[in-house]
Amino acid sequence: TNGIATSILKSHGTSSEGSFWQRAKKPQLKFMVEQISTVLRSHPEYGLRKLQVVDIGGGKGLLSNLLAEAFGDDIVEVKVVDISRSATKNGMVRAQRRGLQNIKYSAQDATTLDVTDG
């Protein structure tokens, strides 16, 4: 799992050593991808069907786009829900630039969220 986080994060920009990205965001995202990877891989139907990942309050999708890219279309479908329309639009643009087909963004109040299939 460490390899997934490291290889994907290497392809996401080359900020300087002292930047916010290098000091705070990159290690945080790496840790989160590793943890989520462990959970996904332990699911009894991992690799047998597409698993749903819902990122509530996911904003512009830094974590969700990494997950969608790391696991690919066959393994996960990622749904990002955030109340900020501008954040979800930004995330959608980022996902499109990376060619991600297995991620959807929704600007809505998470308290009204229906995460059932469909």
Side-chain angles (χ1 to χ4, degrees):
T1 59
N2 189 15
I4 288 175
T6 301
S7 64
I8 294 296
L9 286 169
K10 278 185 182 178
S11 70
H12 284 260
T14 55
S15 299
S16 65
E17 284 283 327
S19 71
F20 175 73
W21 172 255
Q22 287 292 339
R23 285 182 288 106
K25 207 61 179 167
K26 186 175 180 179
Q28 179 186 39
L29 289 170
K30 181 178 177 184
F31 174 79
M32 292 169 75
V33 168
E34 290 169 355
Q35 299 305 305
I36 294 167
S37 177
T38 300
V39 171
L40 289 173
R41 291 174 190 278
S42 68
H43 192 284
E45 294 186 31
Y46 179 83
L48 301 176
R49 69 172 177 89
K50 193 179 288 195
L51 300 177
Q52 301 275 325
V53 175
V54 181
D55 186 357
I56 297 175
K60 56 188 173 182
L62 293 177
L63 174 62
S64 294
N65 284 348
L66 288 172
L67 291 171
E69 187 173 357
F71 287 96
D73 294 351
D74 294 337
I75 302 294
V76 297
E77 172 79 22
V78 182
K79 296 178 183 180
V80 182
V81 177
D82 197 284
I83 202 161
S84 170
R85 189 169 306 284
S86 63
T88 55
K89 183 177 179 185
N90 186 318
M92 210 174 336
V93 169
R94 288 170 181 247
Q96 289 169 345
R97 282 188 193 143
R98 297 193 76 81
L100 302 175
Q101 301 294 315
N102 59 333
I103 188 164
K104 296 177 184 172
Y105 282 83
S106 177
Q108 70 182 83
D109 182 343
T111 63
T112 64
L113 182 63
D114 178 6
V115 294
T116 58
D117 287 339

